[in-house]
Amino acid sequence: MAIFEKVALIGIGLIGSSIARVVREREIINNIAISTRSQETLDAARDLGLGDEYNIDASAIVHDADLVIICTPIGVVGKVLQSIAGNLKPGAIVSDVSSVKASVLEQMQPFIPDGVHLVPAHPVAGTEKSGPQHGFSTLFDNRWCILTPPSSADKAAVKLVSEFWQACGSNIEIMDADHHDRVLAITSHLPQLVAYNMVGTADDLETVTSSEVIKYSAGGFRDSTRLAASDPTMWRDVCLHNKDSILEMLTRFSEELSAMQKAVRWGDGEALFEMFTRTRNIRRDIIDAGQEVDTPNFGRDQK
Ligand code: NAP
């Protein structure tokens, strides 16, 4: 049986379109309404057959929606909510998918009308691609979805949003928005910034030609370029909206890097060996937790 009668998806990029696909495929919600900023993306969503209803005006699709999920970049979530707030149905649940939560909670809370429930969510799943054509229905399978409801949140609404994400394939964790931002700063935001930095460093090198960088990229560099190809808007917003936690993790990272630099300079093989052994165990734990496959080369086709 469907969990909700109607969902309104505002923003239909990688995440919004993946939600639309899994909802349709697993019959989680009967009616899918879609709105997005540009006519071009709305037409693409229609051509892909992602929804039952399409409207460039977000406020026109929310009046009878039981669940509204804002799937836009982090920086505009509050503005989008403000534009639809007057049309929300009493008892509706408003959620989002943003990768940063404290700022989003702050943006959204002032615009939630009485009788409407706010349950922010972050599906910790994605790829470096953007746009509705790149979504897929299994994106959330066996991935965590973190809910960060405000302390005053309606328990029944939190339960329904949990059930919704479980039906989409996710495991649920509920945590405080600030804690979420600290955890994700180390597991997601720092690696992303390191990748941007590493690829940028190679791009700046004058003694190694760019064709050599491309030709010999089979090392760790190639895997960093996947991250570094991610959407600049999304990652700009992550940095602007999770500033404190990211700065803290960057400081810790710089300290670790200095220690490594010192070990390399002084030929301290013991320190290097100890460091590399510790990190190897972390990968083992991630594989054991089912969050990575234990095949060489990330399971990539060797061709
Ligand atoms: P995306 O593929 O780039 O799609 C973004 C959607 O938001 C499009 O429908 C776009 O509309 C709309 N949009 C862009 N700028 C807007 C603006 N200024 N005002 C209103 N709408 C705007 O992005 P995505 O990867 O799905 O990411 C969406 C959210 O999911 C972000 O908050 C991100 O933090 C979160 N998230 C992403 C990932 C990931 O790996 N990508 C993972 C987890 C969570 P038009 O195309 O019509 O302009």
Side-chain angles (χ1 to χ4, degrees):
M1 205 182 81
I3 298 174
F4 296 99
E5 183 52 34
K6 175 174 170 180
V7 62
L9 297 171
I10 304 176
I12 194 75
L14 174 80
I15 301 296
S17 73
S18 295
I19 295 175
R21 284 176 171 95
V22 64
V23 161
R24 170 65 46 85
E25 201 175 288
R26 299 182 195 169
E27 299 177 357
I28 300 167
I29 297 177
N30 291 330
N31 188 324
I32 303 168
I34 293 171
S35 181
T36 186
R37 177 179 58 167
S38 72
Q39 190 60 46
E40 195 188 342
T41 303
L42 195 66
D43 291 343
R46 190 185 284 109
D47 291 345
L48 289 163
L50 295 176
D52 302 294
E53 201 184 315
Y54 304 88
N55 204 313
I56 201 80
D57 177 7
S59 60
I61 63 162
V62 299
H63 65 96
D64 55 349
D66 311 289
L67 175 66
V68 176
I69 311 181
I70 301 176
C71 307
T72 64
I74 299 162
V76 296
V77 170
K79 201 178 86 183
V80 168
L81 177 58
Q82 185 179 18
S83 74
I84 59 169
N87 290 47
L88 291 167
K89 167 171 128 170
I93 298 173
V94 174
S95 190
D96 73 313
V97 293
S98 309
S99 315
V100 174
K101 301 310 317 171
S103 146
V104 159
L105 198 57
E106 217 171 277
Q107 288 183 55
M108 292 176 98
Q109 261 177 323
F111 300 115
I112 293 289
D114 285 346
V116 169
H117 310 297
L118 174 62
V119 185
H122 174 205
V124 187
T127 75
E128 70 281 16
K129 303 268 200 250
S130 306
Q133 67 279 25
H134 291 117
F136 52 100
S137 64
T138 53
L139 177 63
F140 310 113
D141 281 348
N142 200 29
R143 295 285 169 255
W144 286 95
C145 182
I146 304 175
L147 309 188
T148 58
S151 50
S152 57
D154 181 74
K155 287 196 170 48
V158 175
K159 186 165 174 279
L160 278 172
V161 175
S162 301
E163 284 170 15
F164 168 74
W165 278 107
Q166 276 165 337
C168 292
S170 296
N171 306 314
I172 306 299
E173 189 76 55
I174 296 180
M175 64 174 81
D176 168 76
D178 287 321
H179 186 65
H180 165 280
D181 290 354
R182 241 176 96 73
V183 172
L184 270 290
I186 186 69
T187 61
S188 168
H189 308 166
L190 179 67
Q192 190 73 33
L193 291 186
V194 172
Y196 279 129
N197 202 283
M198 198 184 303
V199 178
T201 303
D203 195 40
D204 287 345
L205 272 185
E206 282 160 8
T207 50
V208 179
T209 64
S210 51
S211 63
E212 283 172 312
V213 169
I214 310 274
K215 189 169 163 187
Y216 301 115
S217 66
F221 184 74
R222 185 179 63 184
D223 298 317
S224 301
T225 59
R226 185 187 68 75
L227 286 179
S230 299
D231 184 43
T233 304
M234 170 177 159
W235 285 99
R236 177 204 61 197
D237 280 10
V238 167
C239 291
L240 296 179
H241 291 264
N242 197 19
K243 183 174 161 182
D244 292 346
S245 294
I246 289 179
L247 284 177
E248 185 201 329
M249 298 311 163
L250 279 174
T251 303
R252 287 171 178 267
F253 177 77
S254 304
E255 286 166 9
E256 287 283 330
L257 196 61
S258 298
M260 200 180 272
Q261 204 174 351
K262 194 172 162 198
V264 171
R265 186 181 303 284
W266 291 95
D268 188 347
E270 209 177 307
L272 291 169
F273 192 82
E274 193 275 324
M275 209 180 284
F276 302 159
T277 307
R278 192 157 50 98
T279 51
R280 206 174 197 193
N281 293 340
I282 291 180
R283 179 161 175 85
R284 187 72 274 145
D285 291 346
I286 293 173
I287 291 165
D288 290 348
Q291 297 298 307
E292 174 61 293
V293 287
D294 191 15
T295 41
N297 208 20
F298 301 96
R300 244 196 224 117
D301 196 339
Q302 298 291 317
K303 284 196 297 268

